[in-house]
Amino acid sequence: MAHKLSKIVILFSISILGCKDFKSNEEKLNVLNSRLIEINDKLKNHRIKLNHNLESQIFGNKNISSYSILTYYDADCSECFEQLEKWKDLVAHFQGLNQRTNIKFILYTEDTLLVNIYLKNINFPKELIVYDLENNFLSKFRHASEKAFNSMLVDKKKKIVFIGSPLISEKIKKHFSESLISK
């Protein structure tokens, strides 16, 4: 009888701990969603204004595409290259939906030579890279330091349409995709 009771106590403890972990993950997700809503409410329709050099590298000097997808990474972080590797499929997906989409990865680094070697090793398209040696982008858009908020969908008037990483959320990827198709 005592053996059976100890099994019940163990199973009950596991179920409580499992629920507690689930709730903490659910709470984390709720916090993340709240932050996503807060950032988008604050910055939606905000015009991207950067120093002239950085802005011209990102958007070019010619007529701006219908949409731009801008993603920031600190390129001195090795984990970011794993993220860039995953982005290759997303880039193909988004460009397949709208070939005029301007996709740029804004990389902050103090060592462009080393970053170029890493980019070559993962066969990442160099034309998608913009180096931000002074970290100007992050100084204007602090939220971009968090991977969940490091990407922006921007319209042809350089106004923010949506902020969030399509790499970490299917819903955000769908939102980006639907926006690219609609124009």
Side-chain angles (χ1 to χ4, degrees), residues 50-58 106 130-132 136-137:
L50 301 163
N51 71 45
H52 177 72
N53 184 40
L54 185 58
E55 197 168 317
S56 64
Q57 287 181 62
I58 293 170
I106 299 133
V130 172
Y131 288 114
D132 182 6
N136 289 316
F137 190 85

Side-chain angles (χ1 to χ4, degrees), residues 29-86:
L29 188 58
N30 287 337
V31 168
L32 192 63
N33 282 333
S34 294
R35 182 120 163 77
L36 184 66
I37 291 167
E38 174 189 328
I39 290 170
N40 276 285
D41 285 347
K42 180 180 176 187
L43 293 174
K44 187 173 181 168
N45 293 319
H46 179 87
R47 192 171 189 284
I48 302 281
K49 284 190 162 244
L50 301 163
N51 71 45
H52 177 72
N53 184 40
L54 185 58
E55 197 168 317
S56 64
Q57 287 181 62
I58 293 170
F59 296 108
N61 294 323
K62 55 186 182 261
N63 198 6
I64 296 174
S65 304
S66 56
Y67 280 105
S68 294
I69 298 173
L70 311 179
T71 301
Y72 171 87
Y73 282 110
D74 179 341
D76 294 333
C77 154
S78 60
E79 185 182 327
C80 296
F81 289 96
E82 294 172 21
Q83 298 283 312
L84 285 173
E85 181 112 42
K86 293 174 184 175

